[in-house]
Amino acid sequence: MTELDMPGLGGARRPYRVGYAPGAYDLFHIGHLNILRHARSQCDYLVAGVVSDEMAELAKGRRPMIPLVERLEIVRSVKYVDAAFVETVPDKVQTWKQVRFDVIFKGDDWRGTPKGLRLEEDFAAVGVDVVYFPYTVHTSSTQLRRALDALAAPAAPVSAVPR
């Protein structure tokens, strides 16, 4: 990707030039929108990384409910997103080599965790900042998925009540 491919560049400068906001973006909800909105406010050009079905399954142990092509179209349509990128490798530095962002945005549920510390260390080595945004606690794809699973579960048998 070159600057010519980045129509969002120009105008008022933000702290970062190119930002990257990865996620599964399954069952798109307000938490996803919040991350993308906050991320875009910090960079001139925002790339949303949409993890492939296989990568999501590897990371979370299950495939997304919404297929990749649909998740990609949803994320691409969000006004805060300048470009969407399909993430197909688990190593974020490999993704950086393709996208060349100078900041990666994550929910603060990663802060201080082994995976968050590893992310910070890996990106410090290539001069990329890791910025955390508040995680939207009251809504998550996992909670939505559990609610959908509960609705889809067969009803418990009604016990016979003598007359």
Side-chain angles (χ1 to χ4, degrees):
M1 190 173 301
T2 68
E3 286 187 31
L4 296 176
D5 300 324
M6 301 178 186
L9 292 180
R13 292 281 296 153
R14 291 178 176 90
Y16 298 99
R17 203 151 165 75
V18 179
Y20 186 70
Y25 298 107
D26 194 22
L27 301 172
F28 197 89
H29 56 77
I30 192 67
H32 296 134
L33 189 61
N34 287 341
I35 285 275
L36 295 171
R37 179 187 306 118
H38 292 313
R40 186 60 172 86
S41 74
Q42 296 295 306
C43 60
D44 292 323
Y45 189 85
L46 179 63
V47 179
V50 180
V51 299
S52 68
D53 293 343
E54 297 76 19
M55 288 299 308
E57 186 172 21
L58 183 66
K60 298 184 179 217
R62 64 187 180 281
R63 292 178 81 75
M65 294 187 81
I66 308 298
L68 173 63
V69 68
E70 293 178 23
R71 292 182 289 121
L72 194 58
E73 185 62 26
I74 290 166
V75 170
R76 223 181 236 140
S77 298
V78 173
K79 71 179 183 179
Y80 307 111
V81 174
D82 295 297
F85 175 84
V86 177
E87 200 173 290
T88 59
V89 294
D91 182 356
K92 298 283 189 244
V93 174
Q94 286 300 110
T95 299
W96 170 80
K97 288 177 181 177
Q98 295 176 310
V99 179
R100 293 298 178 164
F101 45 88
D102 45 39
V103 60
I104 185 170
F105 302 104
K106 293 299 290 178
D108 66 2
D109 56 318
W110 276 57
R111 187 190 311 263
T113 66
K115 62 186 178 181
L117 294 171
R118 186 173 54 254
L119 191 73
E120 292 172 26
E121 183 179 304
D122 291 348
F123 278 119
V126 293
V128 172
D129 289 344
V130 177
V131 172
Y132 296 101
F133 290 127
Y135 180 73
T136 306
V137 178
H138 64 277
T139 305
S140 76
S141 296
T142 301
Q143 290 171 330
L144 291 172
R145 186 181 198 114
R146 283 187 195 133
L148 289 171
D149 287 345
L151 290 172
V158 177
S159 0
V161 179
R163 292 186 175 212

